[in-house]
Amino acid sequence: GDVPVAPVLEELAELVHPDAAARGLTLQVDPPGPGLVVRADRERLLQVLLNLAANAVKFTDAGGLRVTAEGDARHVRVS
């Protein structure tokens, strides 16, 4: 079904922040507009984003991570 992106990114931040902080990294999640939605399985979407973020934390030596999302009626890009 349709999944609002903002709450998924909020949950992602909550899950990733402790590991990022433990490695001395900052984590910035820019909230997307409230109307941004994707057609997806919410749990699988979160799992994919969590895997990507965990790898980013694992392979970032210094500085921080930033997560953004933008889109239109056809596509959503999370970077």
Side-chain angles (χ1 to χ4, degrees):
D2 288 345
V3 177
V5 175
V8 173
L9 294 186
E10 289 173 15
E11 187 172 350
L12 176 71
E14 292 172 9
L15 294 169
V16 174
H17 183 266
D19 289 337
R23 292 184 50 97
L25 302 172
T26 60
L27 174 64
Q28 177 181 336
V29 177
D30 297 340
L36 190 62
V37 298
V38 294
R39 183 159 300 230
D41 176 307
R42 187 187 191 287
E43 294 306 312
R44 296 294 174 244
L45 174 62
L46 180 59
Q47 182 180 16
V48 167
L49 294 175
L50 185 56
N51 288 343
L52 292 170
N55 282 341
V57 167
K58 184 176 178 181
F59 294 108
T60 299
D61 293 327
L65 309 169
R66 181 177 179 199
V67 179
T68 64
E70 59 186 8
D72 55 34
R74 293 191 47 167
H75 299 96
V76 172
R77 178 177 56 203
V78 177
S79 57

